[in-house]
Amino acid sequence: MFSLARSSRTLITRSLATPSALPRFRAYSSEVPDHMSEGERAIHVKLAEQLEPSRLYVRDTSGGCGSMYTIEIASKKFKGINVVKQHRMVNEILKEEIKGWHGLQLVTKVE
C-alpha cells in the first residue's frame, strides 16, 4: 500500500499482486443500487459508462459527507495495464470529484 499526498488531501491506493490475494468484490449491476447516496450514484454511473466494469462497488466511507470513498472495480479495459496505470485511469475519470475529497481507497482488478 502506498499513499500519494496532494496538498491537504491524501489518496490511498491499494493493490495486491496475486489474484488469490484479491478481496472479494461486491456484485455489480448495470443499474445503480437504490441505497446509494447521490455522490455514490454519480461516481458509479461515471465509472460504469467509461470502464464498462464487470464488478463495481462504490461506498462513501466518510460518514455521509462525501469526502472519502472506497471504490472496487474490475474491468476488461485494465487488461495489459499495470496497477499504477489502472489507478491513474480511474483518477483521471474522477479528477473533478477527487478535488473535493480527503481520500480514496481504490482497488482495481483485470476481469
Side-chain angles (χ1 to χ4, degrees), residues 28-58:
Y28 169 76
S29 167
S30 58
E31 294 185 25
V32 179
D34 292 334
H35 67 274
M36 285 187 157
S37 69
E38 185 177 320
E40 292 168 337
R41 196 178 316 259
I43 294 163
H44 189 282
V45 168
K46 203 168 201 181
L47 291 174
E49 287 174 355
Q50 303 237 357
L51 295 175
E52 301 167 5
S54 56
R55 291 182 279 180
L56 176 60
Y57 173 78
V58 178

